[in-house]
Amino acid sequence: MQLNSFRIVLLLVFSISIIDYVYSSDFVPAPPLLPRRKYVEHTKPISINPSQWVGKRIDNIQETEIELTIGIKQRNLNTLEKIVWEVSDVKHPNYGKYLNFNQVKSIVEPSEESVRIVSNWLENNGIDNFRLSGSGDFIKGKVNVLKAQDLLKVEYQRFTHEESGRILIRSLDPYSVPWELEDHIDFIGGVNHFPLVARLNKMENIKKELNYVSPYLVRKVMNASIVPAHAANSQAIAQFLEEYFSQSDLDLFQQHYRLDQKAITTIRGPNRETEPGMETALDIQYITAMAPNVSTWIVSTGGLHEGQEPFLDWLVDMSSNPDLPYVHSISYGDDESSIEKAYTDRVDIEFQKYAAMGRTMVFSSGDSGVGCTSSCDSHVPGWPASSRFVLSVGGVDWDGTNMNGDVISGGGFSNYFPRPQYQEDVVSNYLSKKVDKSFEKLFNSSGRAYPDVSSFSESLIIAHRGRLMSIGGTSASAPIIAGLLSNINSKRLSLDQPTIGFVNPLLYKIAKENPESFYDIKTGSNEFHCCKGFKSSDGWDPVTGLGVPNFNVLLDYMTKFDSS
Ligand SMILES: *[C@@H]1O[C@H](CO)[C@@H](O)[C@H](O)[C@H]1NC(C)=O
Ligand SMILES: *[C@@H]1O[C@H](CO)[C@@H](O)[C@H](O)[C@H]1NC(C)=O
Ligand SMILES: *[C@@H]1O[C@H](CO)[C@@H](O)[C@H](O)[C@H]1NC(C)=O
């Protein structure tokens, strides 16, 4: 056995050296012994749920365009990660010493060679409209589908999502790139990825307002006083697909609850006031209710274009922006297993860049509890909630007296990312005491565990299309937490302290040293379909994380740390 594998290795070495010889200099080969592979496969075969997506031939293929986004390999990634842990560690002398956009860029920027090789490849294929992003590490542009097929050795189809009617141009074939490119690109977006199509949140008309969750109730239960906004502070919500913003709904909401009003600072991307999205209404109304007067951006990506990958668009747009808001609330998620590891690894680097710049990324943890495969044999973790470099926010419901872990609250363990040090002790404590051994095989106990914290995710009142209604989902808990964190930034900025940035290490530290900073949620569980879920319990758990912030107490602790 050993001998055999040894021989195989030798054979490989031998044949490689022959090929090199055959192709070197100006030696013209008689028919080569082995054809040199021109292309390397860059992805695995894709499988989709055929009951959700139906693929057809593209009829007007000559006129159909697809947008491709090429992530160029960056450099010095160990340095970047080291910086992230240092600037986010209150015990480190570099705590809060964030880098600016150009400093980060100069560390990780791809080599000129990488950019040149990718550009040459495009040009040699007659593509000259692709552009390098401001961050210098994505190349992006639109191309005819026939051209893309030829470029990537795939066949595209036109897919329709049965339930929502959404249309996508995608390929199920793993794409290939010439071998010269392999070491210079991370991934190519716009080929294989099928974004999760969001389901409508539970929504109902309001009968008795008292039975629902309002900004007042959130403040009262979370012990969150109003904090004066700092003029230099900023926050943002991200919107995908055709979710637009309505100023009149925001006005209605703010007037109804007598909240301080301030105009939205920046709306990036397309907006159609006449088609207000419920998700947008929820996010903007709660982030501004929690952090009134703080400059707020709405970043909207993805209109009707069939070839678009909205999350990737958002990422490229944000990564090229030197003046990024301090806190971002993003209610977006996908099944981790449905996405290429190479893609999530690259996005993780982008999150590290934001962390190095003192930005806070808040993601909802998902509305499918533990998630579950169709064969019921394993949980399905959600991503980006499973990234170590974002704050993942789960949900609780309110029964009129108490908060309980919400059954929808996305939670569990990543299969892609290992458990970070900051949560090691609380998570191993949970695993050692609380997990029933019979279901340990459903999840990967060595992975990054989430969520980190929680807030309200059921029966929140919003204004939508001119009237009040109620809505639920971890889509609600994320902007609540994001707005409250913005208040901490306002307070810290007023004390000349750096912004909270990548806040996870500090939150876990505070929870350990000052447990009264969180309402520990001990009831509820997050089973999903035929998969058994986790139970909330003392301390951290994979339903509600560390719990719901007791905001005023947390604010006190979080303004005690400064760069030394
Ligand atoms: C918001 O601005 C208004 C008008 O300047 C001011 O009265 C109010 O106190 C501010 N509120 C906060 C939370 O900063
Ligand atoms: C479990 O998670 C680790 C990362 O923490 C990963 O390396 C490993 O591949 C995962 N196992 C499975 C079966 O996904
Ligand atoms: C609310 O926060 C204050 C600190 O500002 C703290 O003294 C008080 O105990 C907290 N209230 C509750 C109910 O936890």
Side-chain angles (χ1 to χ4, degrees):
M1 190 63 208
Q2 246 192 342
L3 200 83
N4 273 346
S5 51
F6 183 64
R7 243 192 261 144
I8 290 167
V9 171
L10 263 188
L11 257 177
L12 272 174
V13 170
F14 183 61
S15 43
I16 288 168
S17 63
I18 289 181
I19 302 167
D20 280 346
Y21 173 67
V22 166
Y23 277 80
S24 65
S25 70
D26 50 4
F27 177 82
V28 181
L33 297 174
L34 286 167
R36 183 165 194 168
R37 283 192 311 156
K38 186 161 181 269
Y39 290 93
V40 286
E41 236 167 52
H42 215 257
T43 42
K44 59 181 184 190
I46 306 303
S47 68
I48 51 159
N49 182 343
S51 70
Q52 289 190 353
W53 291 99
V54 178
K56 286 217 176 78
R57 208 169 56 88
I58 305 171
D59 290 332
N60 50 340
I61 198 157
Q62 261 87 7
E63 297 96 65
T64 308
E65 285 192 319
I66 179 90
E67 190 164 65
L68 298 179
T69 306
I70 304 168
I72 318 279
K73 269 220 169 29
Q74 301 166 102
R75 293 180 298 174
N76 304 317
L77 299 177
N78 293 337
T79 310
L80 175 68
E81 186 171 339
K82 183 164 170 281
I83 291 170
V84 169
W85 295 119
E86 287 178 5
V87 297
S88 316
D89 173 2
V90 293
K91 288 230 177 89
H92 197 278
N94 288 344
Y95 175 67
K97 302 212 165 87
Y98 301 127
L99 308 190
N100 66 29
F101 177 83
N102 285 322
Q103 288 168 323
V104 171
K105 185 173 172 179
S106 70
I107 293 171
V108 300
E109 202 168 25
S111 68
E112 279 174 25
E113 189 200 8
S114 294
V115 176
R116 193 182 61 243
I117 285 174
V118 176
S119 308
N120 285 350
W121 171 58
L122 293 168
E123 270 165 38
N124 292 340
N125 282 280
I127 298 172
D128 57 6
N129 61 323
F130 277 39
R131 296 284 167 265
L132 191 63
S133 68
S135 55
D137 45 35
F138 287 106
I139 288 183
K140 185 175 159 169
K142 281 183 190 164
V143 63
N144 176 270
V145 170
L146 287 170
K147 177 66 92 180
Q149 294 191 152
D150 186 41
L151 193 69
L152 302 168
K153 308 294 168 224
V154 296
E155 197 178 323
Y156 275 93
Q157 298 177 60
R158 185 175 186 273
F159 289 91
T160 308
H161 188 256
E162 287 285 81
E163 204 177 302
S164 68
R166 183 164 155 72
I167 289 166
L168 274 181
I169 305 288
R170 286 294 180 272
S171 173
L172 299 183
D173 308 326
Y175 60 84
S176 302
V177 292
W179 62 268
E180 296 94 339
L181 256 72
E182 203 193 2
D183 293 337
H184 300 280
I185 66 175
D186 286 327
F187 73 93
I188 300 179
V191 194
N192 297 143
H193 182 217
F194 282 73
L196 204 68
V197 174
R199 279 166 207 286
L200 229 58
N201 287 294
K202 277 178 268 175
M203 165 192 60
E204 50 183 298
N205 294 327
I206 288 173
K207 284 149 251 149
K208 245 176 107 199
E209 207 177 317
L210 273 180
N211 297 336
Y212 295 89
V213 177
S214 68
Y216 280 147
L217 186 87
V218 174
R219 280 198 185 277
K220 195 173 133 215
V221 178
M222 292 181 71
N223 193 20
S225 304
I226 303 262
V227 175
H230 191 276
N233 199 6
S234 55
Q235 59 187 7
I237 62 159
Q239 292 310 314
F240 305 101
L241 308 173
E242 291 128 72
E243 278 273 339
Y244 298 117
F245 160 66
S246 158
Q247 181 67 52
S248 58
D249 285 339
L250 180 60
D251 289 343
L252 168 64
F253 184 79
Q254 292 182 330
Q255 280 154 12
H256 185 76
Y257 290 112
R258 299 198 188 84
L259 301 165
D260 289 338
Q261 289 185 263
K262 181 174 186 282
I264 299 302
T265 315
T266 306
I267 300 180
R268 279 177 86 90
N271 194 50
R272 285 204 296 263
E273 276 252 6
T274 50
E275 288 164 48
M278 270 187 294
E279 175 74 57
T280 307
L282 174 66
D283 292 5
I284 197 67
Q285 289 168 20
Y286 278 82
I287 201 170
T288 55
M290 294 302 115
N293 292 4
V294 170
S295 283
T296 303
W297 291 25
I298 297 172
V299 181
S300 147
T301 57
L304 284 163
H305 180 41
E306 298 168 352
Q308 214 162 22
E309 248 174 72
F311 183 71
L312 194 52
D313 286 348
W314 172 81
L315 196 75
V316 175
D317 183 19
M318 292 296 97
S319 75
S320 299
N321 197 311
D323 300 306
L324 218 53
Y326 289 121
V327 173
H328 296 254
S329 177
I330 305 124
S331 296
Y332 165 91
D334 221 330
D335 294 343
E336 190 187 71
S337 57
S338 75
I339 306 172
E340 277 302 299
K341 178 80 164 59
Y343 178 94
T344 62
D345 282 346
R346 172 55 187 263
V347 175
D348 230 41
I349 296 164
E350 300 305 313
F351 291 150
Q352 290 175 47
K353 286 155 75 175
Y354 302 138
M357 293 188 279
R359 269 56 180 182
T360 311
M361 297 293 162
V362 180
F363 278 81
S364 56
S365 73
D367 295 348
S368 309
V370 288
C372 193
T373 54
S374 51
S375 47
C376 315
D377 59 356
S378 133
H379 291 165
V380 177
W383 176 87
S386 67
S387 164
R388 296 158 295 167
F389 299 100
V390 307
L391 185 71
S392 171
V393 183
V396 295
D397 62 30
W398 174 247
D399 62 15
T401 323
N402 292 301
M403 293 180 281
N404 311 290
D406 191 347
V407 66
I408 66 163
S409 185
F413 293 79
S414 172
N415 288 315
Y416 281 5
F417 300 108
R419 180 143 64 250
Q421 190 57 44
Y422 61 74
Q423 61 172 195
E424 182 54 48
D425 49 356
V426 287
V427 176
S428 42
N429 181 52
Y430 177 86
L431 288 170
S432 66
K433 291 195 187 139
K434 283 138 193 164
V435 175
D436 155 6
K437 301 281 176 218
S438 72
F439 98 122
E440 260 177 15
K441 60 181 188 306
L442 292 181
F443 62 93
N444 184 341
S445 61
S446 69
R448 172 344 184 196
Y450 71 98
D452 300 301
V453 297
S454 289
S455 185
F456 294 94
S457 58
E458 294 287 346
S459 306
L460 285 109
I461 300 174
I462 61 165
H464 182 65
R465 290 188 186 273
R467 61 197 176 98
L468 297 179
M469 60 198 322
S470 106
I471 195 168
T474 52
S475 293
S477 48
I480 293 173
I481 292 290
L484 292 174
L485 292 175
S486 278
N487 289 326
I488 296 175
N489 274 342
S490 276
K491 184 80 184 287
R492 287 182 60 95
L493 289 167
S494 74
L495 297 168
D496 276 329
Q497 295 174 351
T499 55
I500 54 174
F502 169 46
V503 74
N504 300 24
L506 180 54
L507 288 180
Y508 280 84
K509 181 180 161 66
I510 291 179
K512 185 175 181 179
E513 293 169 5
N514 311 284
E516 71 280 15
S517 311
F518 290 89
Y519 296 105
D520 189 3
I521 309 299
K522 302 175 190 176
T523 48
S525 57
N526 58 354
E527 57 277 4
F528 187 69
H529 289 179
C530 48
C531 281
K532 191 171 166 184
F534 297 101
K535 287 192 171 70
S536 305
S537 65
D538 295 355
W540 183 91
D541 58 67
V543 185
T544 59
L546 298 168
V548 175
N550 181 331
F551 178 76
N552 287 342
V553 176
L554 190 63
L555 179 68
D556 282 349
Y557 285 111
M558 291 198 59
T559 44
K560 288 194 176 132
F561 301 97
D562 200 355
S563 323
S564 37

